[in-house]
Amino acid sequence: MRRGYLLASFLVPTLIRAIPEAVSFPWPIGYDTVYLYAPLIHAFQIYGFFPALSFYIYMKYYSLPFYIIIGGLGILSQADPFLILKVVAPFLCGFLGFSIFYFCSHFLGWGDEKSLFCAILSTVYFVSLGLSFGFFRNILSLGFFFLAISETKNLDKWKNTALFSLLSFMCTFSHEVVTLILLFATVYIILAMIYDRLRRKSTVSMRVFVGPSLSILFCVVFTLLYMGNFDLYSSGGFLSNKLSVLVDYTSWNLGDVGFYPTTIDLGHHILLFFLFCYAPLLLFVLWGYFKCRPLDAMSLLLLGASFMPLVLPHSALPYWWRWMLMLVFPFTVYTSNALFPSEGETIVRKWLENVFFYYLEKRCGSQNLTSKILSVRFSRRRILLVFVVLVSVLSFTFMVFPYEHPFPYYSNIVIQLYFPPSMQANTFPISECDEAMLATIWLNWNMPQNSCLIAHKNLLGWAMLNVNFRPIYSYSGVSTGLLQALEQASLYNSTYVITTWNYDYFIRTSGFNLVFNLGQIEVFKK
């Protein structure tokens, strides 16, 4: 493993991910950057590190490592929260690229060129960019996941076992869904190792199981604690009551996604979104698939969770599209193996050699037909060139095209329910961020002291950054927070509501008067 390639696996994804950040400057990109992360940094800067951190621990928010990182950067630099996030986002992408390179080189034993290609493809493919656009915590946790899994190759050594345990803890503290993937993969690996050693009748060292077993126990306890006491669904604005882990998609209000009227509609959405995400990769995924226990476990869990609503629409895991998005990582590893097959045999290649081409040899009488067809180097280079151009076009247009005028591949209305048409947006398109900033600054200057603010969820982050020392409540619809917010607001002398024109009907019919509007943003007072 040469240092230059190791450094490139970090720098290349970082620089590519910085392109949309530069295009959108000075505004951030990503829904959670404005809705959650920027207000979090602002809270750390105002209240101090430990009071703010204690609050988030009390609220049982996931990803304490990420919150500690951005909160600490906010306190140390005292820079604008948006600027901090614009720097952190590319570095997270670079960290993931580094971890995937390490996994391919250290665990899979690939060469530097092949590992670097996989690291770059896994981080700059448009689905990966979509994850880094909105799910910073996933990216950080997946980085720890690949580093942790890489250490399972040498669990006989205490050093690797200790490192695996430490990285597992970091992964567990970073994101709940990746914790489940790590738990599933670790159990799968340990059971497979026990089976292999029993089959060979070799001794099973306790070192192999102590660290992973403790990590599994920690993951189980931590996950049950948060899944049992933390309102996972309401945190996403879906439901206000705690439910079981399995949900009924045909009767569940999925927020902006809405309802699935029939199971046929649900199946249509799932299959269409899968083809949208992975049509450019599917042939290479099948061609390059190889047996790898961590990837097998990861793929099995993610595929099962993604397509579970097709089989059990009334009792399936929530957020099927989020599970499907994370399939990009095992799929890009298989794709890299297909495009660089010289370092090992793939299962499909071996099957073709042993079955299909064997039949052709018998029919055609040629003894070397298989090797001749599979060793056409110039064809492989051409395929690689076409693939790189296709991925580059899809990724570049996703990064830089305006949100209002996306590249045609991203313009499907159904797809936009689950995947943004462009990275040039946060809770508003970049072209409308000036209006959100000015409207909340106007509120800060014009709201009297004994008043409160009710903000639509798209404007909540903006209000928390600019409206100081007033209580702020949020809502996403009449049935998800507005009535409760209005009841709490009755304790104040005056109530202000900031929303957009497509969410203002109930406000206009509830005795509020329009006092300010700018573009699609409206401010009401009562």
Side-chain angles (χ1 to χ4, degrees), residues 112-129:
D112 291 335
E113 292 84 0
K114 186 174 181 179
S115 299
L116 179 60
F117 177 84
C118 183
I120 295 174
L121 176 63
S122 298
T123 50
V124 306
Y125 187 64
F126 72 91
V127 176
S128 307
L129 290 171

Side-chain angles (χ1 to χ4, degrees), residues 168-185:
S168 297
F169 295 157
M170 296 299 292
C171 176
T172 301
F173 274 114
S174 297
H175 197 270
E176 64 277 14
V177 173
V178 185
T179 298
L180 296 176
I181 299 175
L182 175 65
L183 175 63
F184 189 81

Side-chain angles (χ1 to χ4, degrees), residues 27 403-404 424 428-435:
W27 305 117
Y403 187 87
E404 302 89 339
Q424 295 303 307
F428 289 95
I430 294 300
S431 60
E432 299 175 10
C433 289
D434 287 311
E435 299 169 359

Side-chain angles (χ1 to χ4, degrees), residues 276-292:
F276 162 79
C277 291
Y278 302 116
L281 301 182
L282 280 180
L283 180 62
F284 301 105
V285 170
L286 294 174
W287 184 267
Y289 173 77
F290 61 99
K291 290 184 178 180
C292 174

Side-chain angles (χ1 to χ4, degrees), residues 216-393:
I216 291 173
L217 179 62
F218 180 82
C219 291
V220 170
V221 172
F222 183 83
T223 303
L224 289 177
L225 174 67
Y226 272 68
M227 295 287 279
N229 297 296
F230 178 60
D231 193 347
L232 176 65
Y233 302 99
S234 66
S235 66
F238 283 20
L239 293 175
S240 58
N241 298 319
K242 298 176 184 178
L243 299 178
S244 63
V245 175
L246 303 179
V247 298
D248 183 356
Y249 277 97
T250 59
S251 62
W252 190 24
N253 183 3
L254 300 176
D256 294 334
V257 178
F259 292 92
Y260 296 110
T262 65
T263 55
I264 295 177
D265 293 302
L266 174 61
H268 171 256
H269 282 224
I270 293 174
L271 294 176
L272 180 64
F273 189 63
F274 180 78
L275 291 176
F276 162 79
C277 291
Y278 302 116
L281 301 182
L282 280 180
L283 180 62
F284 301 105
V285 170
L286 294 174
W287 184 267
Y289 173 77
F290 61 99
K291 290 184 178 180
C292 174
R293 287 167 181 168
L295 294 178
D296 288 345
M298 187 179 189
S299 301
L300 182 62
L301 177 61
L302 294 176
L303 283 169
S306 301
F307 290 98
M308 190 177 181
L310 287 178
V311 182
L312 300 169
H314 305 293
S315 183
L317 290 170
Y319 308 121
W320 61 262
W321 58 93
R322 296 190 182 182
W323 299 89
M324 189 174 289
L325 286 173
M326 285 188 287
L327 274 170
V328 67
F329 299 107
F331 278 12
T332 49
V333 174
Y334 297 141
T335 298
S336 300
N337 193 48
L339 294 172
F340 289 83
S342 59
E343 296 184 25
E345 296 291 330
T346 66
I347 287 179
V348 175
R349 180 186 172 97
K350 187 175 181 179
W351 178 83
L352 286 173
E353 288 181 346
N354 292 338
V355 181
F356 183 64
F357 284 109
Y358 175 79
Y359 173 77
L360 288 180
E361 289 173 4
K362 288 292 186 181
R363 297 280 296 181
C364 300
S366 173
Q367 298 299 319
N368 299 315
L369 183 60
T370 300
S371 59
K372 288 180 180 179
I373 293 178
L374 292 177
S375 63
V376 184
R377 294 179 178 272
F378 75 91
S379 297
R380 188 177 300 151
R381 289 197 298 267
R382 288 181 179 178
I383 292 173
L384 177 61
L385 177 61
V386 172
F387 178 80
V388 170
V389 171
L390 174 62
V391 170
S392 299
V393 170

Side-chain angles (χ1 to χ4, degrees), residues 133-172:
F133 167 80
F135 302 106
F136 290 178
R137 300 179 301 126
N138 289 64
I139 298 298
L140 179 64
S141 187
L142 284 164
F144 288 126
F145 168 81
F146 281 106
L147 290 177
I149 289 299
S150 300
E151 300 304 322
T152 60
K153 190 173 183 178
N154 297 306
L155 287 178
D156 287 332
K157 300 179 181 179
W158 281 113
K159 177 182 177 181
N160 298 91
T161 300
L163 190 56
F164 171 80
S165 301
L166 175 62
L167 292 168
S168 297
F169 295 157
M170 296 299 292
C171 176
T172 301

Side-chain angles (χ1 to χ4, degrees), residues 471-482:
I472 302 175
Y473 306 100
S474 68
Y475 80 100
S476 57
V478 176
S479 60
T480 53
L482 180 56

